Amino acid sequence: MSGRRVIIDTGNSAVAYAVKDAEVKVIAAYPITPQTTIVEKIAQFIEYGQMDAKMIRVESEHSAMAAIIGSEAMGVRSFTATSSHGLALMHEMLWYASNARLPVVMAVANRTMGPPWNIWADWGDAMADRDIGWIMSWAANNQEVYDFTLISYRVAEDKRIVLPAMVNLEAFVLTHTSMPFEICGEETREYLPEYDPVWKLDPDDPIIMGNLFSPADTMKLRWDMWESMERAKKVIAEAIREYNERFNRNYEGLIKTYKMDDADYAILSMGTIGEEAEVATDVLREEGLKVGTVRINFFRPFPREDIIKTLNGVSKVIIFERSSSIGASGQIMQDLGQSLLLEKMQLDVNDVFIGIGGTDVSYEDIVNVVKKAIKGDLAPLYWYGSEGW
Amino acid sequence: MVTVKDLAKMEDLLLKGNAACAGCPIGVALRTTLKALGRKTIMFVPACCTSVVQGIGPGAAISVPLFNTAFETAASVASGAAAAAEILGKDVTILAWAGDGGTYDIGLQAISGAAERGDNVLYICYNNQMYSNTGIQRSGATPLGAWTTTTWTGKTEHMKDMGMILIAHRVPYVAATSVGYPDDIYEKVKKAKEKKGFRYIDILAPCPPGWRFPSDMTIRLGRLAIETGFWLLYEYEDGELRFNGYTKLVAEGKREFKPVEEFLRLQDRFRHLFEPKRRDDILEEIQRWIKERFEWYLSLAKI
């Protein structure tokens, strides 16, 4: 039971297995749908003697993040998981994790923020935390959920980075959907060495973390975080390469491209919609349209260079986003926009809001929108289905 | 029992050159606490005056490791650290050190959670009865009638009884003490250190700029608070409540509480109760509250 093996289980179980295989020592969490089964399973691992760790069953998500900040600051690998309103409650402490350079890892079951009461998928919860200095990945299937969690620990704890990492998996589409995935078991040790913190709270070598600093010194600290996040692009690519070799996977890097080599039109998305877009790509290709798909695996750091490179030669990009920055555009659109400006590139872009509030997104929906976009029949900022509202 | 002279000879872990105001009670409370705990201590400090007192980074005037954390998280960050210390097999005291705003108000939920779980944390509130670091605003610990910058004509409610809230959690140790008695602080911290689980000590901390009194009167007010019954010296241990010091003498009938006016008159935060027009209604209510609260404690205590 300890080596590599394929199991059929949910995305939430994939997170729990990854946390177990990463030999995380402190877990603090609070229940919220659809995250809860992650910590239920971890509690089971610990109580049934399959995992040597301490679990703190805190009284709120704010305390969950605070508690793992405390344990990580003591030099112990730590984890939490949450969703939606729980993540929003944690918001303040997410800054403490990143600014104190504590490489904790958290799984976020992306769920709609209320009101209305809605437990289904939406990226908006995590998007509200994109500017804090957390590495952010978005998984498209349960294998990625498992793998990205391990890769996140490896990258977050890397001494060139030392930033926390968030693994996003969409509510129910992944959290509660079973599919086969391979877990690495004890072989994980070779990939993920024991946690060796760059700083910790130790009476034998006392330091003070986070007292009053001058504006100028604070600015230097932020710059250092900026540099580390920029560096993370390279370190993530390295970590993925080594993961591929060790565990026989074939991840491309911070993005995944599909049939982009000769594409005239590109679909740009993330998570499960990004994977569904590959099916749509095949259908559109059958109809003679040279479409390709770019899926963002790591949204922070934003893989600007990779995306620009693959979009070179494309005449139109259609972005599919499961969240919107109300009053502006979608968040991927904003980051693509800054990428194009920085690279002095111009592109015809459609930003499509789809799957918001957990509405199902099928390849047919994507095919329909892409065809319209190619014909030029689509508003630049388009809410899918809004014609009838 | 340790004496103040003994305390003066012990290693100082709160260093000279710290940024405290003249007469700051943290000088007594934290210095004595760290003398009782020693170097094998890790501090978790939320937003409070100690955030400033420790000095400007990258330097620091406190010689034990310290993590500055968000206002409401002293208890929850300490909970995580306590779990980590257990995993590491480290023999350290996990000390949450917070003001009354971070304890009575915004941090209450996290404290209740940590207390209920029995997390191995020593939580000490140095209680100056207001938000002092932000400039003297009303807190749940502010007493009736006190002027603050958010209660210009005096607070209209009594202070919350945080000690009783912790006693209701049935934690191994709850104590109340005062900056007026460093020896009492020392003994209580020392005793708390030897216990496991969640422990709570509330140190009354008279604040010269906040309470509006000259900076050489901190200790005197810390004693008068006890001698008038405005604040009580007690310990709740192994399910039993006991009084200490002057409070014990009163409980045993050997002394009486002095009139609370003797304590109130020395602080300009209560000046409006005496001039331009004497507010007997409020003064009598404070005196009544002291009597009623003491009787409540007496009914629960072993004397």
Side-chain angles (χ1 to χ4, degrees):
Chain A
M1 293 288 279
S2 57
R4 277 163 65 180
R5 65 196 165 102
V6 175
I7 57 175
I8 300 174
D9 213 330
T10 61
N12 278 354
S13 283
V15 174
Y17 277 107
V19 170
K20 175 172 173 281
D21 289 343
E23 297 198 302
V24 173
K25 293 293 181 201
V26 174
I27 298 99
Y30 187 81
I32 184 169
T33 304
Q35 170 279 124
T36 317
T37 55
I38 296 175
V39 289
E40 283 174 1
K41 196 162 185 79
I42 293 173
Q44 217 170 53
F45 284 148
I46 295 171
E47 287 183 38
Y48 292 173
Q50 294 159 3
M51 186 177 171
D52 179 24
K54 236 184 117 56
M55 182 144 178
I56 314 173
R57 293 142 182 102
V58 285
E59 78 300 329
S60 76
E61 286 91 352
H62 196 279
S63 288
M65 184 49 63
I68 67 163
I69 283 168
S71 55
E72 189 86 14
M74 294 284 287
V76 172
R77 187 176 285 156
S78 306
F79 174 81
T80 189
T82 190
S83 178
S84 186
H85 290 260
L87 181 64
L89 183 57
M90 277 182 188
H91 177 76
E92 178 192 28
M93 297 318 289
L94 300 191
W95 291 92
Y96 269 82
S98 56
N99 289 348
R101 309 303 292 264
L102 292 167
V104 297
V105 172
M106 165 167 63
V108 173
N110 298 133
R111 166 186 156 182
T112 307
M113 292 291 296
W117 198 256
N118 180 318
I119 56 172
W120 295 282
D122 194 296
W123 302 336
D125 55 358
M127 281 298 176
D129 292 323
R130 74 193 151 145
D131 300 333
I132 299 178
W134 280 62
I135 294 161
M136 297 171 89
S137 59
W138 252 275
N141 53 60
N142 295 357
Q143 187 67 62
E144 289 189 357
V145 171
Y146 177 87
D147 294 341
F148 288 1
T149 305
L150 292 182
I151 291 167
S152 290
Y153 272 109
R154 168 73 179 257
V155 173
E157 292 173 6
D158 188 299
K159 287 194 165 62
R160 295 166 290 177
I161 308 299
V162 197
L163 288 168
M166 182 190 296
V167 180
N168 290 283
L169 61 156
E170 284 148 285
F172 298 102
V173 190
L174 292 181
T175 62
H176 287 63
T177 304
S178 285
M179 54 185 94
F181 58 94
E182 188 189 52
I183 60 172
C184 304
E186 281 172 8
E187 288 181 37
T188 308
R189 318 280 178 280
E190 298 156 32
Y191 178 74
L192 188 64
E194 211 170 292
Y195 178 38
D196 178 22
V198 290
W199 74 269
K200 62 179 172 179
L201 298 166
D202 180 2
D204 294 332
D205 183 18
I207 60 151
I208 287 193
M209 168 52 75
N211 53 337
L212 187 69
F213 262 52
S214 73
D217 284 340
T218 307
M219 188 163 172
K220 281 183 208 159
L221 294 172
R222 292 296 179 277
W223 169 81
D224 191 73
M225 286 171 70
W226 176 277
E227 289 287 298
S228 298
M229 192 59 101
E230 279 295 311
R231 207 178 293 128
K233 292 175 188 170
K234 196 182 85 185
V235 174
I236 292 167
E238 268 174 39
I240 287 173
R241 244 189 333 268
E242 196 188 320
Y243 197 88
N244 286 343
E245 284 163 19
R246 207 175 273 282
F247 301 118
N248 198 25
R249 310 272 200 269
N250 57 355
Y251 293 115
E252 197 176 317
L254 284 83
I255 61 170
K256 189 196 177 208
T257 55
Y258 184 71
K259 300 193 175 172
M260 280 300 294
D261 286 347
D262 61 341
D264 291 331
Y265 311 101
I267 299 170
L268 177 62
S269 193
M270 296 200 305
T272 58
I273 297 175
E275 198 167 62
E276 192 71 9
E278 292 178 9
V279 182
T281 298
D282 288 341
V283 172
L284 289 160
R285 286 255 169 184
E286 275 169 27
E287 295 184 22
L289 294 166
K290 282 182 156 182
V291 175
T293 291
V294 182
R295 175 151 67 81
I296 297 166
N297 288 338
F298 281 81
F299 182 73
R300 283 290 177 275
F302 192 74
R304 184 175 75 230
E305 296 82 356
D306 294 347
I307 291 175
I308 291 299
K309 199 172 151 201
T310 194
L311 291 182
N312 201 12
V314 164
S315 66
K316 193 182 222 12
V317 182
I318 305 107
I319 309 169
F320 288 86
E321 311 211 47
R322 194 162 224 159
S323 58
S324 78
S325 174
I326 293 176
S329 66
Q331 288 90 351
I332 297 176
M333 167 77 153
Q334 289 168 26
D335 282 353
L336 176 65
Q338 51 99 349
S339 306
L340 294 171
L341 283 170
L342 285 165
E343 302 298 326
K344 301 189 187 342
M345 218 170 118
Q346 273 203 329
L347 255 180
D348 198 1
V349 180
N350 282 106
D351 197 12
V352 181
F353 304 108
I354 196 164
I356 304 272
T359 42
D360 275 341
V361 180
S362 81
Y363 70 89
E364 288 162 326
D365 300 315
I366 298 170
V367 166
N368 288 340
V369 174
V370 171
K371 278 194 202 159
K372 269 194 190 171
I374 289 171
K375 269 198 239 157
D377 286 351
L378 211 60
L381 299 165
Y382 171 62
W383 280 73
Y384 183 64
S386 61
E387 295 85 350
W389 297 345
Chain B
M1 186 94 178
V2 73
T3 66
V4 175
K5 276 186 184 168
D6 297 333
L7 287 175
K9 288 176 205 146
M10 294 178 190
E11 186 186 20
D12 221 342
L13 295 170
L14 172 64
L15 304 181
K16 294 183 176 73
N18 67 62
C21 306
C24 175
I26 295 171
V28 176
L30 183 55
R31 178 171 282 118
T32 310
T33 294
L34 290 177
K35 284 180 180 196
L37 296 177
R39 285 184 177 269
K40 283 192 171 176
T41 302
I42 302 177
M43 285 179 74
F44 296 87
V45 179
C48 62
C49 278
T50 304
S51 321
V52 175
V53 166
Q54 63 190 263
I56 296 173
I62 294 174
S63 299
V64 298
L66 188 159
F67 186 84
N68 287 285
T69 191
F71 218 161
E72 65 278 52
T73 62
S76 44
V77 175
S79 288
E86 194 185 318
I87 289 277
L88 296 166
K90 271 203 166 183
D91 178 26
V92 290
T93 302
I94 300 297
L95 171 66
W97 175 267
D100 51 286
T103 302
Y104 284 57
D105 295 344
I106 198 169
L108 183 60
Q109 176 181 315
I111 292 169
S112 176
E116 180 268 328
R117 293 188 300 271
D119 291 341
N120 196 21
V121 171
L122 169 55
Y123 192 108
I124 299 185
C125 170
Y126 64 102
N127 174 4
N128 60 21
Q129 305 193 315
M130 72 202 150
Y131 292 87
S132 49
N133 200 25
T134 44
I136 320 172
Q137 291 83 31
R138 168 212 197 274
S139 81
T142 305
L144 179 76
W147 162 90
T148 68
T149 57
T150 51
T151 54
W152 291 91
T153 56
K155 192 187 170 193
T156 50
E157 302 81 23
H158 287 291
M159 67 176 91
K160 189 188 285 189
D161 199 323
M162 190 66 192
M164 279 296 189
I165 292 172
L166 267 297
I167 289 171
H169 284 73
R170 297 288 192 270
V171 293
Y173 189 74
V174 179
T177 180
S178 163
V179 157
Y181 305 92
D183 46 351
D184 190 63
I185 297 175
Y186 181 88
E187 296 294 344
K188 283 173 175 165
V189 173
K190 197 90 183 159
K191 192 182 270 188
K193 181 187 181 222
E194 301 311 322
K195 293 186 181 291
K196 291 265 170 286
F198 195 86
R199 295 141 285 159
Y200 177 79
I201 301 176
D202 202 316
I203 308 177
L204 186 74
C207 165
W211 293 15
R212 305 271 156 198
F213 62 81
S215 59
D216 61 351
M217 278 175 36
T218 306
I219 300 294
R220 192 172 162 201
L221 279 160
R223 292 185 173 225
L224 269 173
I226 302 301
E227 288 164 6
T228 57
F230 177 85
W231 190 250
L232 304 173
L233 297 179
Y234 69 84
E235 284 176 297
Y236 169 86
E237 195 182 355
D238 304 323
E240 288 182 2
L241 183 69
R242 287 191 182 80
F243 297 111
N244 320 103
Y246 194 92
T247 312
K248 184 167 183 250
L249 295 176
V250 176
E252 291 169 349
K254 294 174 183 166
R255 291 274 202 294
E256 284 192 352
F257 285 135
K258 296 173 179 172
V260 73
E261 277 191 38
E262 288 186 29
F263 171 70
L264 304 178
R265 270 190 177 281
L266 297 174
Q267 308 164 52
D268 277 354
R269 65 170 170 160
F270 294 113
R271 191 167 64 182
H272 58 281
L273 301 184
F274 300 99
E275 58 186 63
K277 188 172 160 280
R278 195 180 153 86
R279 291 295 304 271
D280 279 323
D281 53 338
I282 295 171
L283 291 167
E284 279 164 21
E285 173 53 25
I286 295 171
Q287 196 65 70
R288 189 203 61 77
W289 175 85
I290 286 174
K291 183 167 176 284
E292 185 194 88
R293 179 169 182 253
F294 187 56
E295 279 166 5
W296 181 32
Y297 273 75
L298 270 175
S299 72
L300 301 170
K302 293 251 170 180
I303 302 167

